[in-house]
Amino acid sequence: MKTLKGTTAASGIVRGVVCIYDNKVKDTVPHYNIEPNQVEREIERLKEVFEHAKTEMRDMIEKAKSQSDKNAQEIFGIHLMMLGDKGLFDKITDLIRTRNINAEHAVSDVFEIYIDKYSKAEGHFKELVHDLVDTRERVLMSFNMETGHFRCSVGEQKPVIVAANLLTPSMVLNIPREHVLAFVSREGGITSHATILARSYGVPIVFGIDVEKELDCGTNAIVDGSIGKVIISPDEKTESYYDKKIENIKKKKFVCDTVDKKVHARTKEGKNITLKLNVSIPDELNLIAGLPHDGIGLLRTEFLFIKKDEAPSEEEQYQVYRKILDEVKGPVTARILDLSNDKLPSYLESSVDSRNDLGFRGAMAVDMFRDIYVAQFKALLRANENGNLRLLYPMVADVNDINTYRSALNEAKKILKKENVKFYNKDIQEGVMVETPAAVIMADELLKNADFINVGSNDLLQYTLAASRGNALAEKRYHILHPALVRLLELVVKEGKKAKKEICLCGEAASFEEFYPLFLKIGLKSFSVSVSKFSDIKCELLHVKELKDREMLDSFYKIKSKEEAEKYFAKFV
Ligand code: PEP
Ligand code: MG
């Protein structure tokens, strides 16, 4: 058994057989030279092929229209546009002329240049890579070349977990819906066109999995789209855990489908629960319209800072924050840049010891890179015209840390005033991430100085157990809801009650349905979960019952091993 962690693009859980889908067209492209007197004939051949591909595309659009599939119409419209792009066509003919090469070779080389260029771009342009690959393959296929296919015949015979290096729109549509249990790929994007189409199949989608290296045709696997996991060759215990989970999800979904989709989260007994969203990349924002959420509980602003050559400017940040604050209904909790060695921008690497992030986490980073933090505060203050911004300070250990963030905030205000730039700071709530044991112990003091607490269970667990998050050995040894973590949570909730302030759980622990009887028992009433997990948790809340008595909670606190914890939660699955 091996567990692979990827990124989820659609939730749901399935168990089945893996079948790899090959998009091998490119590897079989013939390369040969032509005589100068054959150039015009080769260009004629190229024209015919483009016309053929365009006709196919138009047919696909018509088919999508007849099925009222707006997404597919739009996507294939883009492909048709690419095929009609004169610049692209001219580049290919130029290559045939100047290098005396066959048309397939020229098509492949020119598309490669575009694909390479777009791969290095950000956001939407990057996601067009899949469309370029798809269009290239359509053109090459029109030369009567091999088309994509399942590597093993099982894919033609029964529904399978379709694995591929890259999902492309045509590939998705070429595989009949009834043959697909889930999609797993190495490359993908939450809002890539292929993903949009695949999502309409209503199956789990996980990308970021090294398909060629990790998966084999015919292997048994479980795809847990709710947490982006692919478990290969699961053992019996894991299989039966997931079988039960799948069965229960089916039953619960049946009930939840009958409930008004606009109703906000509440429990079976009618107790209101605050259910918010964690947003880690801007693309996720495209998925939240229509979800009855209570705002963004955790906006991980790091996406603006990493994978760049230099820190984003105040203006660049302002544009992004402005768009989010304008579009999202409800409060937006923006976490101030949370530096750690797994999300360290390259331009800061030389200034820190990247092997040990305990020297620059949290407020320490504010002292080290004050300009960056002041610019972020300025951008946020300017963007808050709607007044729905909340500020969240990461990795706080004590009140002194809050004051460090606050001094950068005040400096930002001072500069904006001096610059005569409009900003909006009225009634901005300030909260802290509780992710260190120190912060738990100091929760009463922190709450005197902050408006709310977000508990980051991912980091709180690692700093409590001295066991790195995501480390295979640590995960094998400790349960994600370790009794020590729950004891700490209970302490924080108690302080929240006393201070009458919100305690929101926003780490991964909140994504597990089976933990909710316990969460409700210790008094948690606010959660923030990933976009892909939102509907599952909302549905779970409608079914869940809080632990009956204190004894059941105490028996959890006495648990001595991960196995015992698994057994304890199995009854709530
Ligand atoms: C956490 O630590 O639980 C958390 C929510 O923050 P992040 O996962 O971004 O470190
Ligand atoms: Mg954290």
Side-chain angles (χ1 to χ4, degrees):
M1 182 167 105
K2 187 170 181 188
T3 302
L4 311 168
K5 183 83 180 79
T7 304
T8 179
S11 68
I13 302 173
V14 295
R15 181 148 93 80
V17 170
V18 171
C19 197
I20 298 182
Y21 192 88
D22 271 327
N23 278 319
K24 278 280 181 210
V25 179
K26 197 187 142 241
D27 293 355
T28 58
V29 175
H31 285 36
Y32 55 88
N33 281 101
I34 53 171
E35 294 300 326
N37 63 5
Q38 292 174 322
V39 164
E40 290 314 314
R41 213 201 56 129
E42 202 60 18
I43 292 175
E44 227 16 72
R45 205 160 74 88
L46 179 74
K47 271 187 197 152
E48 274 169 31
V49 159
F50 260 73
E51 281 319 308
H52 179 262
K54 281 190 218 164
T55 309
E56 264 189 359
M57 227 55 264
R58 286 189 200 103
D59 290 349
M60 303 270 278
I61 294 171
E62 281 312 309
K63 192 171 151 204
K65 257 189 208 158
S66 69
Q67 293 167 348
S68 304
D69 187 341
K70 282 221 170 75
N71 280 334
Q73 275 178 59
E74 199 181 301
I75 291 162
F76 292 126
I78 292 172
H79 291 198
L80 186 60
M81 217 165 67
M82 284 178 177
L83 287 168
D85 182 56
K86 193 164 173 314
L88 176 84
F89 189 81
D90 288 350
K91 276 202 178 74
I92 302 172
T93 52
D94 281 354
L95 211 60
I96 297 175
R97 278 207 176 89
T98 52
R99 286 179 44 202
N100 286 350
I101 56 172
N102 61 314
E104 295 93 321
H105 187 175
V107 165
S108 168
D109 279 9
V110 170
F111 269 95
E112 203 56 39
I113 294 170
Y114 277 80
I115 289 166
D116 190 49
K117 188 169 142 198
Y118 280 74
S119 310
K120 290 179 186 135
E122 286 293 325
H124 179 64
F125 284 111
K126 197 182 179 76
E127 294 189 346
L128 282 178
V129 166
H130 305 199
D131 297 287
L132 280 163
V133 169
D134 210 19
T135 307
R136 175 187 66 191
E137 275 161 30
R138 183 160 302 283
V139 174
L140 290 175
M141 269 153 55
S142 300
F143 284 105
N144 279 335
M145 294 175 54
E146 190 193 349
T147 162
H149 60 271
F150 278 119
R151 197 178 288 178
C152 48
S153 59
V154 64
E156 319 284 352
Q157 294 152 3
K158 64 173 190 178
V160 288
I161 295 166
V162 180
N165 271 330
L166 175 74
L167 284 189
T168 67
S170 310
M171 172 193 153
V172 172
L173 289 190
N174 279 344
I175 308 171
R177 163 73 191 87
E178 58 277 15
H179 285 196
V180 184
L181 288 176
F183 286 108
V184 174
S185 66
R186 191 187 66 196
E187 288 166 46
I190 288 182
T191 55
S192 76
H193 286 145
T195 304
I196 292 170
L197 290 177
R199 204 178 282 118
S200 69
Y201 280 25
V203 297
I205 308 170
V206 175
F207 62 86
I209 301 291
D210 192 342
V211 168
E212 283 298 338
K213 188 169 151 228
E214 303 283 6
L215 300 181
D216 282 319
C217 250
T219 310
N220 284 324
I222 292 166
V223 179
D224 186 342
S226 59
I227 47 171
K229 268 188 185 172
V230 177
I231 304 166
I232 39 183
S233 307
D235 57 26
E236 239 174 74
K237 204 172 90 188
T238 310
E239 278 186 348
S240 76
Y241 167 84
Y242 271 102
D243 282 347
K244 214 168 142 194
K245 199 159 177 159
I246 291 167
E247 197 46 43
N248 277 340
I249 289 174
K250 252 192 226 156
K251 281 191 209 147
K252 287 174 184 170
K253 198 171 172 304
F254 182 76
V255 174
C256 291
D257 282 348
T258 63
V259 175
D260 183 352
K261 295 272 177 296
K262 291 193 196 96
V263 172
H264 281 230
R266 56 183 161 80
T267 64
K268 199 174 177 180
E269 285 84 27
K271 189 153 105 187
N272 290 331
I273 299 291
T274 303
L275 190 56
K276 299 189 259 197
L277 296 163
N278 291 351
V279 170
S280 309
I281 48 172
D283 283 345
E284 285 174 304
L285 294 160
N286 300 325
L287 306 176
I288 70 176
L291 292 180
H293 61 81
D294 296 305
I296 296 185
L298 173 64
L299 176 67
R300 291 182 163 106
T301 59
E302 294 76 36
F303 68 81
L304 273 161
F305 294 84
I306 46 182
K307 291 195 188 150
K308 294 245 165 70
D309 296 330
E310 54 182 7
S313 66
E314 179 192 323
E315 187 57 28
E316 185 184 343
Q317 291 187 66
Y318 164 76
Q319 297 293 347
V320 176
Y321 300 143
R322 182 74 215 246
K323 190 165 178 293
I324 298 174
L325 288 161
D326 284 357
E327 278 175 13
V328 174
K329 287 196 195 92
V332 173
T333 313
R335 179 173 72 187
I336 298 308
L337 175 62
D338 180 20
L339 286 184
S340 60
N341 54 12
D342 63 341
K343 35 185 164 51
L344 184 64
S346 55
Y347 48 89
L348 298 182
E349 266 168 20
S350 60
S351 315
V352 296
D353 175 3
S354 59
R355 290 160 308 171
N356 177 12
D357 61 10
L358 295 184
F360 60 89
R361 291 221 67 175
M364 281 186 275
V366 182
D367 284 336
M368 296 169 84
F369 308 109
R370 197 167 175 93
D371 292 352
I372 292 182
Y373 284 89
V374 171
Q376 184 176 28
F377 278 120
K378 284 175 77 188
L380 283 163
L381 289 169
R382 285 172 56 203
N384 185 33
E385 198 168 338
N386 282 335
N388 54 342
L389 171 69
R390 302 197 322 161
L391 294 171
L392 179 61
Y393 304 144
M395 206 48 69
V396 157
D398 56 21
V399 175
N400 188 27
D401 285 347
I402 302 182
N403 290 337
T404 301
Y405 285 106
R406 209 166 268 159
S407 81
L409 171 68
N410 289 334
E411 188 178 333
K413 288 182 199 167
K414 234 195 237 162
I415 299 174
L416 284 168
K417 261 189 211 148
K418 221 176 172 180
E419 290 172 342
N420 235 339
V421 176
K422 235 180 170 180
F423 65 95
Y424 310 88
N425 70 326
K426 197 170 163 265
D427 300 332
I428 294 184
Q429 288 198 345
E430 291 167 273
V432 296
M433 289 287 287
V434 164
E435 309 178 273
T436 60
V440 175
I441 303 297
M442 302 298 286
D444 53 344
E445 289 302 315
L446 295 179
L447 282 167
K448 284 181 197 153
N449 292 273
D451 300 303
F452 64 93
I453 276 177
N454 266 22
V455 182
S457 55
N458 308 333
D459 278 314
L460 183 54
L461 189 68
Q462 77 163 338
Y463 293 123
T464 300
L465 299 176
S468 288
R469 62 195 268 189
N471 174 289
L473 200 63
E475 284 193 359
K476 206 167 155 190
R477 189 170 175 81
Y478 302 109
H479 194 271
I480 174 170
L481 206 66
H482 194 281
L485 179 70
V486 182
R487 282 182 193 237
L488 295 174
L489 267 171
E490 204 183 356
L491 289 178
V492 181
V493 172
K494 263 191 197 145
E495 294 305 328
K497 255 190 207 147
K498 270 195 231 157
K500 296 198 176 59
K501 290 189 177 169
E502 180 190 8
I503 309 295
C504 174
L505 177 64
C506 69
E508 282 313 289
S511 290
F512 291 78
E513 287 91 334
E514 59 267 39
F515 300 163
Y516 276 74
L518 204 143
F519 288 154
L520 296 180
K521 182 72 193 165
I522 63 172
L524 270 168
K525 288 191 291 247
S526 175
F527 305 90
S528 190
V529 297
S530 65
V531 177
S532 63
K533 202 59 208 173
F534 182 89
S535 299
D536 295 347
I537 297 296
K538 184 177 168 242
C539 181
E540 180 65 21
L541 282 164
L542 268 185
H543 290 86
V544 77
K545 271 204 211 125
E546 165 179 327
L547 292 186
K548 246 190 355 271
D549 44 39
R550 181 78 211 182
E551 237 170 82
M552 279 188 81
L553 181 58
D554 288 341
S555 71
F556 172 74
Y557 283 149
K558 292 196 185 102
I559 277 172
K560 287 178 195 63
S561 66
K562 178 175 174 167
E563 289 66 34
E564 271 184 56
E566 276 169 359
K567 222 187 259 169
Y568 182 93
F569 288 113
K571 57 182 178 282
F572 305 120
V573 167

